[in-house]
């Protein structure tokens, strides 16, 4: 159902991913809002035969075959087949956890039977160990990396902030506060940012992303509340387009909330991308991002409070030297957060399972 934004043939280039592998995307008949009683059987019906085909192709090398999924629905039949066909041996099955559901019987069944569990943050992995008793040797952290291409192109980028603003048609005589992420009526992060914009009329706020209906929704919100300093870009097709807005910013905002995120575990991809831009980040200090953010590379503010968000933005703008140092530190820290580096570590971990 996402075909309205990224064509299947463009998925890899849109995210700046380069690799030597053949990738197959299964053409599942799904649409937005479909019931789980429909889409779960459809997903299993497409994925499980693909798994069996992979077993047939990999005959004789099953110990070097790895099955990863963040969807426990897909792992249940795989684990049942592993028990029936291999009696404990065979391919390694790994659940890529983005959250913990210790009271859900299906999740607990999968947690207890997979060969390994990988999580996006240390907070998640620590809780898998402490709350569920998962042995440390079965756990590893993925983080949310960037592609080598993204890093290479950012290193080579010579355009100044002023040049990028001119190309995007953004004002160069006012501080620019930028948010790049999900934009939808059900994203509680957005009203907080718009309320902050209302209190900072001397700044221009730019929010990227969103279907036309979502942009219309928030444009109407701004009109109703007399907010005139917000620009909505609409959906952007390529990561390079998003990065332009991040590079153009004086302040990058990530203000996701407990109302629509598990803030202990949900680590937004935009945090790592913000670090790549090298501009100061204003965000709450949640457990999910403590692997990559600290007081040296980000400005922390209290969550779910427009006044606190305003204070954080003002703190950045009032101290340009400090802001520049914090942004530069984020840029330095992101150098090691590439898919190539994280994948090397994960492959080393998989071989120990």
């Amino acid at each position: 159902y996402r075909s309205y934004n990224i064509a299947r043939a463009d998925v890899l280039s849109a995210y700046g991913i380069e690799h030597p592998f053949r990738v197959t995307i299964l053409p599942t008949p799904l649409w937005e809002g479909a019931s789980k009683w429909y889409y779960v059987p459809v997903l299993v019906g497409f994925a499980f035969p693909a798994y069996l085909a992979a077993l047939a192709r990999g005959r004789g090398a099953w110990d070097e075959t790895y099955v990863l999924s963040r969807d426990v629905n897909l792992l249940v039949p795989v684990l049942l087949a592993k028990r029936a066909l291999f009696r404990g041996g065979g391919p390694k099955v790994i659940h890529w956890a983005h959250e913990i559901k210790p009271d859900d019987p299906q999740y607990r069944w999968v947690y207890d039977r997979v060969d390994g569990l990988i999580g996006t943050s240390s907070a998640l992995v620590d809780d898998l160990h402490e709350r569920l008793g998962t042995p440390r040797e079965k756990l590893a952290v993925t983080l949310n990396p960037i592609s080598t291409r993204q890093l290479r192109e950012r290193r080579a980028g010579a355009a100044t902030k002023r040049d990028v603003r001119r190309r995007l048609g953004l004002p160069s005589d006012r501080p620019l506060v930028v948010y790049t992420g999900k934009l939808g009526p059900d994203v509680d992060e957005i009203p907080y940012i718009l309320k902050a914009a209302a209190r900072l009329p001397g700044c221009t706020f730019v929010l990227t992303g969103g279907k036309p209906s979502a942009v219309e929704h928030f444009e109407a919100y701004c009109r109703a509340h007399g907010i005139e300093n917000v620009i909505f870009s609409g959906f952007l097709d390529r990561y390079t387009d998003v990065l332009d807005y991040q590079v153009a910013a004086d302040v990058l905002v990530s203000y996701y909330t407990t109302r629509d995120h598990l803030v202990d575990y949900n680590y937004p991809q935009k945090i790592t991308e913000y670090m790549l831009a090298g501009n100061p980040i204003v965000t709450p200090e949640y457990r999910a991002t403590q692997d990559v953010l600290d007081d040296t590379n980000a400005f922390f503010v209290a969550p779910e409070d427009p006044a606190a968000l305003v204070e954080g933005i003002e703190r950045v703008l009032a101290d340009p030297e400090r802001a520049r140092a914090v942004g530069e530190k984020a840029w330095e820290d992101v150098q090691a957060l590439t898919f190539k580096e994280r994948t090397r570590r994960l492959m080393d971990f998989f071989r120990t399972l």
Side-chain angles (χ1 to χ4, degrees), residues 280 299 315-328:
F299 289 84
R315 190 160 23 114
V316 174
L317 297 177
D319 192 346
E321 289 301 317
R322 169 70 176 152
R324 182 163 43 252
V326 168
E328 289 175 353

Side-chain angles (χ1 to χ4, degrees), residues 37-146:
W37 300 108
Y38 169 77
Y39 74 73
V40 169
V42 167
L43 287 177
V44 173
F46 275 80
F48 188 64
Y51 166 67
L52 295 178
L55 291 184
R57 286 195 302 272
R59 182 176 299 175
W62 289 319
D63 287 344
E64 288 295 319
T65 300
Y66 304 96
V67 181
L68 290 82
S69 180
R70 63 176 291 181
D71 190 330
V72 297
N73 296 296
L74 300 184
L75 291 181
V76 169
V78 168
L79 289 166
L80 290 172
K82 176 180 169 74
R83 184 168 64 181
L85 297 174
F86 300 102
R87 301 192 181 281
K92 305 297 190 299
V93 181
I94 298 105
H95 175 44
W96 186 19
H98 286 58
E99 59 195 4
I100 296 175
K101 295 185 177 180
D103 299 324
D104 186 307
Q106 185 180 27
Y107 275 78
R108 286 302 300 261
W109 189 90
V110 169
Y111 293 154
D112 291 341
R113 287 163 178 79
V114 291
D115 297 285
L117 282 156
I118 55 178
T120 51
S121 69
S122 293
L124 195 157
V125 164
D126 288 345
D127 283 0
L128 281 168
H129 173 67
E130 293 167 11
R131 296 177 61 188
L132 301 179
T134 306
R136 285 286 185 185
E137 59 269 21
K138 290 181 63 173
L139 297 167
V141 177
T142 68
L143 303 181
N144 279 346
I146 55 173

Side-chain angles (χ1 to χ4, degrees), residues 258-318:
T258 57
R259 294 196 297 173
D260 57 5
H261 282 78
L262 294 171
V263 295
D264 278 351
Y265 306 137
N266 293 165
Y267 165 12
Q269 180 67 42
K270 62 177 174 284
I271 290 292
T272 317
E273 294 174 354
Y274 282 2
M275 296 172 72
L276 181 67
N279 287 323
I281 301 166
V282 173
T283 185
E285 188 175 11
Y286 291 136
R287 287 181 68 209
T289 54
Q290 288 179 355
D291 288 301
V292 296
L293 295 183
D294 56 39
D295 289 328
T296 69
N297 61 13
F299 289 84
F300 292 123
V301 295
E304 304 185 36
D305 181 356
L309 179 56
V310 168
E311 185 275 331
I313 294 170
E314 290 178 329
R315 190 160 23 114
V316 174
L317 297 177

Side-chain angles (χ1 to χ4, degrees), residues 8 21 24 52-53 101 108 164 185 203 211 234 252 273 298 318 350:
R8 183 179 302 162
F21 305 107
T24 300
L52 295 178
K101 295 185 177 180
R108 286 302 300 261
V164 175
C203 298
K211 300 179 187 179
L252 291 163
E273 294 174 354
F350 292 161

Side-chain angles (χ1 to χ4, degrees), residues 161 164-165 168 170 176 178 243-250 279:
K161 187 176 295 190
V164 175
R165 290 188 185 187
L168 296 176
L170 298 172
L176 205 65
V178 174
L243 181 59
D244 280 343
Y245 282 91
Q246 294 165 346
V247 170
D250 292 302
N279 287 323

